[in-house]
Amino acid sequence: MRDIEKNMGWLVKTVSDIIDAHPTESGVIHSGSYDLGSKLLHRLPKAKQRRIHVYKGAGEKMDTLKRFIEAPGNILMGPSLLEGLDLKDDKSRLQIFLKVPYPNLGDKYVAEKMKYSKGWYSWKTCTSILQGIGRSVRSEQDWAVTYFLDGWLTDLITRSSDNFPDEFLERIIIKED
């Protein structure tokens, strides 16, 4: 996040290219924060902006989700889409994680958990990734293409591969830019 402005051009181009590669598929962008999602959205070309449904706060989330589900081929973007969504089958064939969903280090609960459990932070992050992927892949027959645009995923996997199922690790393709 500290280099987000420096990397914003790359992020916009990469998300734009991914959206182009999935012109008719619905999907989800896990933005990690409202701020990052807003910065990305306003820099994307207008044609791509029209496909993206964004909410500002929990009050708008349900209405935005309803509009998204009623509009095939569109993309739902927000910071809190890791749990509680059932986007089975064609409702989501595409997912983009703008950043690895590490817990907020400024949260007092997170700080306390880290004092008592050395591996909790990595475990919680791995669990959040798997939960997020599960929003679009709801059964053994369901599928979605998932993109992680944060290089910290490689570091997390290196340090915490035991927290991921083998099926997850076997499917990862690392693409160098």
Side-chain angles (χ1 to χ4, degrees):
M1 285 304 290
R2 69 177 176 259
D3 295 325
I4 195 63
E5 285 304 323
K6 182 175 86 174
N7 295 322
M8 188 55 72
W10 175 86
L11 186 65
V12 169
K13 180 183 181 333
T14 302
V15 169
S16 186
D17 290 348
I18 292 169
I19 290 171
D20 285 344
H22 302 269
T24 62
E25 295 171 323
S26 295
V28 176
I29 298 175
H30 300 280
S31 64
S33 70
Y34 292 111
D35 184 52
L36 180 55
S38 179
K39 286 177 180 178
L40 172 66
L41 182 68
H42 291 96
R43 288 177 170 100
L44 285 170
K46 295 288 184 208
K48 290 174 182 69
Q49 287 180 21
R50 285 190 283 275
R51 284 188 66 191
I52 299 174
H53 293 256
V54 180
Y55 58 93
K56 295 176 186 141
E60 291 182 16
K61 187 175 181 180
M62 292 310 293
D63 288 337
T64 303
L65 179 59
K66 183 179 178 196
R67 285 193 310 276
F68 161 75
I69 287 173
E70 292 171 351
N74 284 322
I75 298 166
L76 178 65
M77 181 166 65
S80 58
L81 302 172
L82 298 173
E83 298 176 341
L85 291 178
D86 184 11
L87 301 176
K88 62 185 173 194
D89 302 327
D90 290 341
K91 299 229 183 315
S92 180
R93 295 293 188 204
L94 158 70
Q95 295 188 96
I96 303 171
F97 283 76
L98 300 182
K99 60 185 271 330
V100 173
Y102 285 106
N104 181 352
L105 290 171
D107 184 301
K108 290 178 183 179
Y109 174 77
V110 171
E112 285 298 312
K113 286 293 281 189
M114 288 176 66
K115 285 181 191 176
Y116 295 101
S117 177
K118 192 172 185 134
W120 177 83
Y121 191 70
S122 292
W123 171 84
K124 178 62 175 161
T125 304
C126 295
T127 300
S128 295
I129 288 170
L130 295 171
Q131 284 285 336
I133 290 170
R135 299 313 89 216
S136 297
V137 182
R138 306 299 289 168
S139 71
E140 287 186 26
Q141 293 76 37
D142 205 357
W143 62 272
V145 178
T146 302
Y147 299 87
F148 285 89
L149 304 184
D150 184 347
W152 284 106
L153 180 66
T154 304
D155 179 66
L156 180 66
I157 290 170
T158 300
R159 287 183 293 107
S160 303
S161 64
D162 291 349
N163 289 325
F164 289 111
D166 290 340
E167 300 83 33
F168 172 83
L169 297 172
E170 291 166 359
R171 291 187 171 127
I172 293 177
I173 300 169
I174 297 174
K175 182 181 176 202
E176 298 295 328
D177 221 21

